[in-house]
Structures are given as C-alpha cells and as structure tokens.
Amino acid sequence: MSFEPLGLSPDLMRAIKDQGYTEPTPVQEQAIPLILEGRDLMARAQTGTGKTAGFTLPLLQLLGKNARSSKRRGVRALILAPTRELANQVRESVRTYGRHLPLKSLAVFGGVGFGPQAQALRRGVDVLVATPGRLLDHLSQRTVDLSGVEILVLDEADRMLDMGFINDIRKIMATLPSKRQNLLFSATLSSEIQKLANNFLTNPMKIEIAPREKTADRVTQVVHPVDRSRKTALLTHRIVSESWKQVLVFTRTKRGADRLTKKLRENQIATVAIHSDKTQGARTRALADFKRGATRVLVATDIAARGLDIEQLPHVVNFDLPYVAEDYVHRIGRTGRAGMDGQAISLVCGEEHKLLQAIERLLEKPLPKEKVTGFEPSLREDVTRAPRGASSRPDAAQRRGRPGHPARPAFRGKRVKGSTAGSGTRRWSSSSADSSRARR
Ligand code: AMP
C-alpha cells in the first residue's frame, strides 16, 4: 500500500517523500485515518514500528487544518514521553514531518535550563513534547498554557507507568480542556494501561501491531561465562579481534558505565557513555557521535537506552545482566533490526547466575553458553556449573511460594508464554492468545 489513500496533505506527503518512505508501516496504515477522523486511539506498538510518524503525521495535519486564532499562544498538541531521549526524538520527528508547515514545536525535559524553555513557550508553541516532571514545573511556574490543547498523546505509556509517572500524568490532565482528542501508544496493553485508557479515552479505537517477529529470528544470542574481573578484557578482545565497527554495551549502573568507558578508552577504543548523570548536551552529543560512526562503542544504562532510536546495530553486549529480566528482551531488541543479522552477547559471571536463570525462565528456553578460549571462567565463577547446593536449597522466590501454590517468578511482570527471544519487543506481558493473535 502507498501513502496516497491515507488522506495526508501535500505538505506532509512532501515530507514523507523527503524521508524516502515509499509505503506506510502497519501502525501508520491503521492509525493515520482514525486520527484524521478525530477518533481517540489506543495502540499497542513498539519502538521500531514507525509509531512516531503514525501519530505525528495526522496530528500535524489536524493542527494545520484548523489554524490557530492569532491571539492565542498556548500549546495545541501535547505529547508526553517518559524520557528526555524519547522526547527529543519525538520532537525531531515533529520537525522532520512538519518541515513544510508553519507550526512551532518544542521539547521540554529536566536536566537542562528552565529559563530558555520558558522563553520559548512564551513565544508560542503549537506542538509541545514533554516529560511529565518538567512539564509540571512549568505548570506550577505558570510558564506554560495548556488550556487550548486539542490533542494529547501519551507515548510509551507503559514505560511512564513503570517509571511512576501516573500521578504526574493525572495532574497534567487535570489542566487540559475536557474536549480534546486523546491518543495512547504503549508497547503492552496491560490491565494498568487499560485502566488508564478507561479514565481518559473516549470511545477509543484499539489497534494492535505485531512486534517485528522476523527481526527476532535474526538475532543470535550467546552467553560467555567469564570471571567478573576479566569482562573488560574479553569485551576488548571481541571488539578488536573481530573488528566490530559499532557496538552498544549495557551496564546495570551509571558508575559501571563510566568505569567501562574509561577502561575501553585506555585500550584505544573510541567509547562514549550515556546515562542520566550526564548533561543533556553530553547525551545528545554522545548519541549523535555514535550515530554518525565517530565512536565505536556506546555504553548505556537501561533507563538511558529507553527509546533510543539507533538502527542497524550488529552487536549488543550485556556487560552486566539486567536486574529485571524483561530488560534483557528490550536490550537485545536493539539489534537485528531492519533486516540485518544481529548478535546479542552476554558476559556472565558467577554472581549473575540467578539473573541468568530469570531471563531463561522468561524466554522459556536456555541460552547457548560458549566459553571463549583464553577467557575460561574459574570454577567459582562458572555459570554453566550448577552452584553447590542449588538442587537441594530452594531459592528465595520459591521459599516465598505457599505450599500447594506455585512461587512467583523472581522477575517483575507477568509470566510470558508464546513469546520468543529477541523479538524486538521491549516487554512481553501479553498473553499467549494475545501474541498469537498479533502474529496473525
Ligand atoms: P519509531 O517506531 O517511530 O521509533 O520509528 C522507527 C524508525 O522507522 C524511524 O527511524 C523512522 O524514521 C522509520 N520509519 C517510520 N516510518 C517509516 C516508513 N513508512 N518507511 C520506512 N521507515 C519508516
């Protein structure tokens, strides 16, 4: 299908052509006509499906159609996003797709100066992309006027709930006019999301987009059992001996990210880190440098990596395993996109044994383990050996289970069925019926 039947204006069609898009993605095909009709929408779609253009294009068209009265300076479309990175990226999309339209846009988020944002808001903004916390600051300082909002978008709504923004979102909504169009995008449609939707959507249309299953099949996963103290050496070895051009490396903590960055640089490998202690400028620069290939390694924490739009990454390395098993799926979804083969490598030491088990339980299959010659783990650190007493001693999660009732799994979220690893999805909380329906 081409873009023509979707009913987008010539200015937007030009912007689409500038981008080189020839056909709409499934979420765009379904969402654009509904949004143009003025419907409320609840959409299950992950990063990578083209969801941003799916709501940005029709939103810009609606704003362009009903010109603003010259007196008002308030915001006309509000897009809430969980992280600064995502807010920035969505704003970039607004700019890209709206390049032939006379609409002003702005992103506001914490970690950067408040004053310049307030000044830009005073000059008038049509489309505001914001993280909830900073937007509340602007509301309390009366530096933003949301009384004329016509369209509200909640992007990555499940992430926002996970990050504890629900009260902030409620407070923000209370300042909006009750007559408006609402669009909710979320990677999962959990019962919490459903509750949120019931509260603020009016008679919504629901669309569900299958995660990019095909890309999943293209991700090879492997675990390298290794001593904790030798992880950096092993990573360096793989990068150098296989001449990796670009790799995204995940660490659990900000300090771990900084430490690893320093060590890789000492090994003459161009590396940058991206995490929430970095200034926004530093984060934006790091991402831009990585995207244009000026740096070889990007080290990121889970939170900082959320919503990062980096395409075609051949390698993702888990320098540490995540505490939350679902983050593993999210991390490895960063590779194997856009029809490229991807490799997800986890460096796992003895103390990560439980975390590895939780991930394998979530994936419902063991991950292949491969020891690298010269980096074989010591007996104590070897995760391929059952830890002593493991079979006779129940773990903490099992101990919490009541007799006759299965224990809760040690990872957060629902048990997942029918999903495969590396599907490019971030959270697999859908039921098996749900995901098989999505696949059809
Ligand atoms: P998103 O899911 O919004 O994060 O988008 C993922 C990527 O897909 C972005 O880099 C977009 O530039 C790209 N994209 C969006 N729509 C299309 C399209 N119709 N054809 C090709 N690429 C697209």
Side-chain angles (χ1 to χ4, degrees), residues 142-165:
R142 296 178 191 277
T143 43
V144 67
D145 173 8
L146 299 180
S147 65
V149 167
E150 298 159 40
I151 306 172
L152 169 70
V153 183
L154 292 189
D155 194 13
E156 302 211 352
D158 53 343
R159 253 325 139 195
M160 288 202 272
L161 295 192
D162 281 356
M163 291 170 78
F165 285 140

mmCIF file of all heavy atoms in Angstrom, residues 142-165:
data_model
loop_
_atom_site.group_PDB
_atom_site.id
_atom_site.type_symbol
_atom_site.label_atom_id
_atom_site.label_comp_id
_atom_site.label_asym_id
_atom_site.label_seq_id
_atom_site.Cartn_x
_atom_site.Cartn_y
_atom_site.Cartn_z
ATOM 1 N N ARG A 142 3.636 28.615 35.987
ATOM 2 C CA ARG A 142 2.747 29.281 35.013
ATOM 3 C C ARG A 142 3.496 29.763 33.773
ATOM 4 O O ARG A 142 3.239 30.833 33.227
ATOM 5 C CB ARG A 142 2.021 30.473 35.657
ATOM 6 C CG ARG A 142 1.107 30.048 36.759
ATOM 7 C CD ARG A 142 0.451 31.250 37.402
ATOM 8 N NE ARG A 142 -0.229 30.884 38.624
ATOM 9 C CZ ARG A 142 -1.447 30.383 38.657
ATOM 10 N NH1 ARG A 142 -2.119 30.204 37.555
ATOM 11 N NH2 ARG A 142 -2.000 30.067 39.810
ATOM 12 N N THR A 143 4.454 28.970 33.356
ATOM 13 C CA THR A 143 5.193 29.330 32.143
ATOM 14 C C THR A 143 4.659 28.582 30.929
ATOM 15 O O THR A 143 5.189 28.718 29.837
ATOM 16 C CB THR A 143 6.702 29.026 32.310
ATOM 17 O OG1 THR A 143 6.830 27.749 32.938
ATOM 18 C CG2 THR A 143 7.390 30.073 33.144
ATOM 19 N N VAL A 144 3.630 27.763 31.150
ATOM 20 C CA VAL A 144 3.017 27.068 30.024
ATOM 21 C C VAL A 144 1.495 27.169 30.139
ATOM 22 O O VAL A 144 0.956 27.172 31.241
ATOM 23 C CB VAL A 144 3.475 25.586 29.949
ATOM 24 C CG1 VAL A 144 2.966 24.779 31.128
ATOM 25 C CG2 VAL A 144 3.050 24.917 28.645
ATOM 26 N N ASP A 145 0.851 27.291 28.984
ATOM 27 C CA ASP A 145 -0.603 27.381 28.955
ATOM 28 C C ASP A 145 -1.138 26.171 28.194
ATOM 29 O O ASP A 145 -0.919 26.048 26.990
ATOM 30 C CB ASP A 145 -0.994 28.694 28.251
ATOM 31 C CG ASP A 145 -2.501 28.794 28.032
ATOM 32 O OD1 ASP A 145 -3.245 27.931 28.556
ATOM 33 O OD2 ASP A 145 -2.934 29.730 27.325
ATOM 34 N N LEU A 146 -1.813 25.287 28.937
ATOM 35 C CA LEU A 146 -2.330 24.071 28.294
ATOM 36 C C LEU A 146 -3.845 24.143 28.095
ATOM 37 O O LEU A 146 -4.484 23.157 27.754
ATOM 38 C CB LEU A 146 -1.969 22.833 29.121
ATOM 39 C CG LEU A 146 -0.467 22.548 29.329
ATOM 40 C CD1 LEU A 146 -0.268 21.293 30.170
ATOM 41 C CD2 LEU A 146 0.249 22.394 27.990
ATOM 42 N N SER A 147 -4.412 25.329 28.309
ATOM 43 C CA SER A 147 -5.874 25.418 28.269
ATOM 44 C C SER A 147 -6.435 25.278 26.853
ATOM 45 O O SER A 147 -7.632 25.122 26.675
ATOM 46 C CB SER A 147 -6.333 26.735 28.886
ATOM 47 O OG SER A 147 -5.871 27.792 28.069
ATOM 48 N N GLY A 148 -5.546 25.345 25.850
ATOM 49 C CA GLY A 148 -6.054 25.224 24.481
ATOM 50 C C GLY A 148 -5.608 23.941 23.797
ATOM 51 O O GLY A 148 -5.624 23.862 22.570
ATOM 52 N N VAL A 149 -5.231 22.929 24.594
ATOM 53 C CA VAL A 149 -4.745 21.691 23.982
ATOM 54 C C VAL A 149 -5.882 20.970 23.250
ATOM 55 O O VAL A 149 -6.936 20.723 23.823
ATOM 56 C CB VAL A 149 -4.097 20.764 25.039
ATOM 57 C CG1 VAL A 149 -3.887 19.363 24.486
ATOM 58 C CG2 VAL A 149 -2.768 21.342 25.505
ATOM 59 N N GLU A 150 -5.642 20.676 21.981
ATOM 60 C CA GLU A 150 -6.662 19.987 21.180
ATOM 61 C C GLU A 150 -6.393 18.483 21.114
ATOM 62 O O GLU A 150 -7.296 17.678 20.983
ATOM 63 C CB GLU A 150 -6.655 20.558 19.742
ATOM 64 C CG GLU A 150 -6.995 22.034 19.686
ATOM 65 C CD GLU A 150 -6.495 22.703 18.404
ATOM 66 O OE1 GLU A 150 -6.586 22.096 17.327
ATOM 67 O OE2 GLU A 150 -6.015 23.852 18.487
ATOM 68 N N ILE A 151 -5.105 18.135 21.142
ATOM 69 C CA ILE A 151 -4.738 16.712 21.023
ATOM 70 C C ILE A 151 -3.703 16.357 22.095
ATOM 71 O O ILE A 151 -2.727 17.088 22.285
ATOM 72 C CB ILE A 151 -4.109 16.419 19.632
ATOM 73 C CG1 ILE A 151 -5.031 16.901 18.509
ATOM 74 C CG2 ILE A 151 -3.811 14.924 19.477
ATOM 75 C CD1 ILE A 151 -4.405 16.822 17.130
ATOM 76 N N LEU A 152 -3.944 15.253 22.786
ATOM 77 C CA LEU A 152 -2.975 14.761 23.774
ATOM 78 C C LEU A 152 -2.474 13.393 23.316
ATOM 79 O O LEU A 152 -3.268 12.528 22.939
ATOM 80 C CB LEU A 152 -3.654 14.609 25.147
ATOM 81 C CG LEU A 152 -2.832 13.864 26.200
ATOM 82 C CD1 LEU A 152 -1.632 14.684 26.661
ATOM 83 C CD2 LEU A 152 -3.699 13.504 27.414
ATOM 84 N N VAL A 153 -1.162 13.207 23.356
ATOM 85 C CA VAL A 153 -0.586 11.898 23.029
ATOM 86 C C VAL A 153 0.202 11.406 24.234
ATOM 87 O O VAL A 153 1.014 12.147 24.802
ATOM 88 C CB VAL A 153 0.386 11.982 21.818
ATOM 89 C CG1 VAL A 153 0.911 10.594 21.463
ATOM 90 C CG2 VAL A 153 -0.284 12.629 20.614
ATOM 91 N N LEU A 154 -0.044 10.186 24.650
ATOM 92 C CA LEU A 154 0.808 9.545 25.654
ATOM 93 C C LEU A 154 1.659 8.525 24.911
ATOM 94 O O LEU A 154 1.145 7.530 24.421
ATOM 95 C CB LEU A 154 -0.020 8.805 26.710
ATOM 96 C CG LEU A 154 -0.875 9.622 27.660
ATOM 97 C CD1 LEU A 154 -1.427 8.724 28.762
ATOM 98 C CD2 LEU A 154 -0.081 10.747 28.288
ATOM 99 N N ASP A 155 2.947 8.791 24.820
ATOM 100 C CA ASP A 155 3.820 7.877 24.079
ATOM 101 C C ASP A 155 4.533 6.982 25.081
ATOM 102 O O ASP A 155 4.965 7.449 26.130
ATOM 103 C CB ASP A 155 4.831 8.677 23.250
ATOM 104 C CG ASP A 155 5.531 7.806 22.208
ATOM 105 O OD1 ASP A 155 5.060 6.676 21.970
ATOM 106 O OD2 ASP A 155 6.531 8.258 21.636
ATOM 107 N N GLU A 156 4.666 5.713 24.746
ATOM 108 C CA GLU A 156 5.262 4.716 25.654
ATOM 109 C C GLU A 156 4.604 4.810 27.027
ATOM 110 O O GLU A 156 5.260 4.943 28.059
ATOM 111 C CB GLU A 156 6.781 4.906 25.733
ATOM 112 C CG GLU A 156 7.421 4.798 24.359
ATOM 113 C CD GLU A 156 8.836 4.236 24.349
ATOM 114 O OE1 GLU A 156 9.412 4.047 25.427
ATOM 115 O OE2 GLU A 156 9.337 3.970 23.242
ATOM 116 N N ALA A 157 3.279 4.721 27.003
ATOM 117 C CA ALA A 157 2.506 4.882 28.240
ATOM 118 C C ALA A 157 2.905 3.839 29.283
ATOM 119 O O ALA A 157 2.961 4.148 30.478
ATOM 120 C CB ALA A 157 1.014 4.783 27.922
ATOM 121 N N ASP A 158 3.203 2.623 28.857
ATOM 122 C CA ASP A 158 3.570 1.592 29.838
ATOM 123 C C ASP A 158 4.868 1.953 30.550
ATOM 124 O O ASP A 158 5.008 1.752 31.750
ATOM 125 C CB ASP A 158 3.671 0.207 29.179
ATOM 126 C CG ASP A 158 4.588 0.177 27.971
ATOM 127 O OD1 ASP A 158 4.911 1.253 27.420
ATOM 128 O OD2 ASP A 158 4.986 -0.923 27.564
ATOM 129 N N ARG A 159 5.788 2.532 29.812
ATOM 130 C CA ARG A 159 7.049 2.978 30.420
ATOM 131 C C ARG A 159 6.783 4.065 31.455
ATOM 132 O O ARG A 159 7.378 4.105 32.514
ATOM 133 C CB ARG A 159 7.937 3.579 29.352
ATOM 134 C CG ARG A 159 9.135 2.858 28.865
ATOM 135 C CD ARG A 159 9.894 2.044 29.814
ATOM 136 N NE ARG A 159 10.267 0.837 29.113
ATOM 137 C CZ ARG A 159 10.700 -0.259 29.661
ATOM 138 N NH1 ARG A 159 10.819 -0.356 30.960
ATOM 139 N NH2 ARG A 159 10.999 -1.280 28.940
ATOM 140 N N MET A 160 5.870 4.960 31.100
ATOM 141 C CA MET A 160 5.581 6.062 32.015
ATOM 142 C C MET A 160 4.984 5.515 33.318
ATOM 143 O O MET A 160 5.329 5.980 34.399
ATOM 144 C CB MET A 160 4.671 7.087 31.371
ATOM 145 C CG MET A 160 5.413 7.875 30.314
ATOM 146 S SD MET A 160 4.687 9.462 29.937
ATOM 147 C CE MET A 160 3.539 8.981 28.681
ATOM 148 N N LEU A 161 4.125 4.514 33.194
ATOM 149 C CA LEU A 161 3.562 3.922 34.411
ATOM 150 C C LEU A 161 4.669 3.227 35.201
ATOM 151 O O LEU A 161 4.772 3.375 36.407
ATOM 152 C CB LEU A 161 2.448 2.924 34.084
ATOM 153 C CG LEU A 161 1.188 3.494 33.431
ATOM 154 C CD1 LEU A 161 0.079 2.455 33.442
ATOM 155 C CD2 LEU A 161 0.721 4.760 34.116
ATOM 156 N N ASP A 162 5.520 2.465 34.493
ATOM 157 C CA ASP A 162 6.640 1.780 35.153
ATOM 158 C C ASP A 162 7.524 2.756 35.906
ATOM 159 O O ASP A 162 8.087 2.437 36.941
ATOM 160 C CB ASP A 162 7.550 1.096 34.115
ATOM 161 C CG ASP A 162 6.976 -0.213 33.629
ATOM 162 O OD1 ASP A 162 5.928 -0.604 34.165
ATOM 163 O OD2 ASP A 162 7.568 -0.824 32.721
ATOM 164 N N MET A 163 7.689 3.925 35.343
ATOM 165 C CA MET A 163 8.601 4.891 35.947
ATOM 166 C C MET A 163 7.909 5.747 37.008
ATOM 167 O O MET A 163 8.487 6.693 37.532
ATOM 168 C CB MET A 163 9.222 5.765 34.853
ATOM 169 C CG MET A 163 10.182 4.959 33.986
ATOM 170 S SD MET A 163 10.735 5.821 32.505
ATOM 171 C CE MET A 163 11.961 6.921 33.203
ATOM 172 N N GLY A 164 6.656 5.406 37.291
ATOM 173 C CA GLY A 164 5.961 6.050 38.408
ATOM 174 C C GLY A 164 5.389 7.423 38.087
ATOM 175 O O GLY A 164 5.216 8.252 38.969
ATOM 176 N N PHE A 165 5.068 7.667 36.821
ATOM 177 C CA PHE A 165 4.574 8.988 36.428
ATOM 178 C C PHE A 165 3.057 9.130 36.508
ATOM 179 O O PHE A 165 2.523 10.150 36.097
ATOM 180 C CB PHE A 165 4.995 9.305 34.979
ATOM 181 C CG PHE A 165 6.438 9.668 34.827
ATOM 182 C CD1 PHE A 165 7.176 9.209 33.749
ATOM 183 C CD2 PHE A 165 7.073 10.489 35.754
ATOM 184 C CE1 PHE A 165 8.518 9.548 33.586
ATOM 185 C CE2 PHE A 165 8.414 10.840 35.603
ATOM 186 C CZ PHE A 165 9.134 10.369 34.522
#
